[in-house]
Amino acid sequence: MEHSEAKHADATKSAVDDNRAVIIRTLDLAKIYGEGETATHALQGVNSLIYRGEMIAVMGPSGSGKSTFFNMIGALDSPSKGRILIDEVDVAQLSAVELAFLRCRKIGYIFQSFNLIRYMTALENVTVPMSFAGVAPEEARRRGMELLELVGIADRWEHRPIEMSGGQQQRVAIARSMSNLPQILLADEPTANLDLVTGESILGTLQRINKERGVTVICSTHDHRLLKMSDRIMWIRDGMIERVESSENIKIKVGTIGGE
């Protein structure tokens, strides 16, 4: 118990000392799948702070707990133990309606497989979340075209996913994630299915959204190009945060990545 309280105190102290607004806070966050000897401890007591308006790269080997951590902070799954606070609101205390509102209005999601609706046009895909948020059709269309322009694909607004390249589909997915003006953008391996040039362009778009719109962007990635674009890099291994580094302290060499 004393150890747990000490970790809570450290997390709180960091927020005060840093003097920046914390948008996501996890306290002793744990996720366990299964029971007994066969149980999998996907997350083991994760304490973390993510500040408003920063860009974070979450890295780690396959099976390290990255995806589970993403699902937790994105309010897509509930923890076995510990707490997740978004804008200092404990997600576990929200009702189903409040949780749906949080997912719809505060958090935007970009999935590795795009998850576009295949029979809808680019514009229709972008405006779908707006209909759930009660945005009027005319306003939804105006905002949708503005977002497609933001990601550089407004000229393809009438095209369906099958008529677009992977990079174009990812741009539509990014525009859709911004449809309800979220404060937090979660991107799960946003460049995994793209070629190098297209991937770099997508990362540049995410960086622009972060810098120009002040959206907190959190990317789960294996793409080392994201390191130089991020404010901080969080390494997860064996369900725990191994270390967190400022991008300024990271040296990138061929075949290796390390801190100073």
Side-chain angles (χ1 to χ4, degrees), residues 127-144:
T127 56
V128 162
M130 299 184 205
S131 64
F132 292 114
V135 178
E138 284 189 10
E139 171 61 15
R141 180 181 176 84
R142 183 199 67 77
R143 190 189 299 176

Side-chain angles (χ1 to χ4, degrees), residues 43-58:
L43 292 177
Q44 305 186 63
V46 172
N47 289 285
S48 65
L49 298 174
I50 296 174
Y51 300 104
R52 186 179 301 279
E54 71 175 341
M55 189 165 181
I56 292 275
V58 180

Side-chain angles (χ1 to χ4, degrees), residues 23-226:
I23 193 166
I24 299 176
R25 183 193 308 267
T26 68
L27 299 170
D28 285 342
L29 184 63
K31 183 64 178 181
I32 304 169
Y33 297 101
E35 298 179 355
E37 295 181 0
T38 61
T40 299
H41 294 258
L43 292 177
Q44 305 186 63
V46 172
N47 289 285
S48 65
L49 298 174
I50 296 174
Y51 300 104
R52 186 179 301 279
E54 71 175 341
M55 189 165 181
I56 292 275
V58 180
M59 304 193 76
S62 297
S64 62
K66 292 196 313 296
S67 295
T68 303
F69 180 70
F70 247 57
N71 289 339
M72 295 292 109
I73 64 175
L76 296 174
D77 199 357
S78 55
S80 302
K81 299 177 183 177
R83 303 167 68 201
I84 306 159
L85 288 83
I86 297 179
D87 272 341
E88 299 304 331
V89 174
D90 190 339
V91 174
Q93 302 303 314
L94 298 179
S95 67
V97 172
E98 291 169 330
L99 199 54
F101 183 88
L102 174 74
R103 293 173 184 144
C104 181
R105 296 297 185 91
K106 183 158 288 191
I107 305 172
Y109 305 91
I110 303 171
F111 301 99
Q112 183 176 336
S113 55
F114 314 140
N115 285 5
L116 299 179
I117 301 172
R118 61 179 182 172
Y119 58 83
M120 286 187 172
T121 66
L123 180 60
E124 289 168 340
N125 267 285
V126 172
T127 56
V128 162
M130 299 184 205
S131 64
F132 292 114
V135 178
E138 284 189 10
E139 171 61 15
R141 180 181 176 84
R142 183 199 67 77
R143 190 189 299 176
M145 288 302 298
E146 179 186 277
L147 290 170
L148 289 173
E149 183 71 36
L150 173 70
V151 299
I153 199 172
D155 60 329
R156 308 283 287 182
W157 70 274
E158 289 185 291
H159 291 253
R160 290 172 172 77
I162 196 172
E163 302 169 316
M164 294 183 284
S165 67
Q168 289 169 338
Q169 290 183 60
Q170 188 64 297
R171 289 180 183 279
V172 174
I174 292 173
R176 180 187 57 190
S177 73
M178 293 290 293
S179 60
N180 288 324
L181 312 177
Q183 298 175 31
I184 301 165
L185 196 57
L186 295 175
D188 184 16
E189 297 285 359
T191 63
N193 297 320
L194 307 175
D195 61 73
L196 290 175
V197 174
T198 304
E200 182 132 15
S201 179
I202 291 298
L203 292 179
T205 299
L206 292 174
Q207 186 181 43
R208 192 167 70 252
I209 289 171
N210 168 249
K211 300 303 180 187
E212 295 179 3
R213 300 204 167 200
V215 176
T216 304
V217 176
I218 308 163
C219 293
S220 169
T221 185
H222 287 97
D223 194 331
H224 293 160
R225 291 171 298 180
L226 192 60

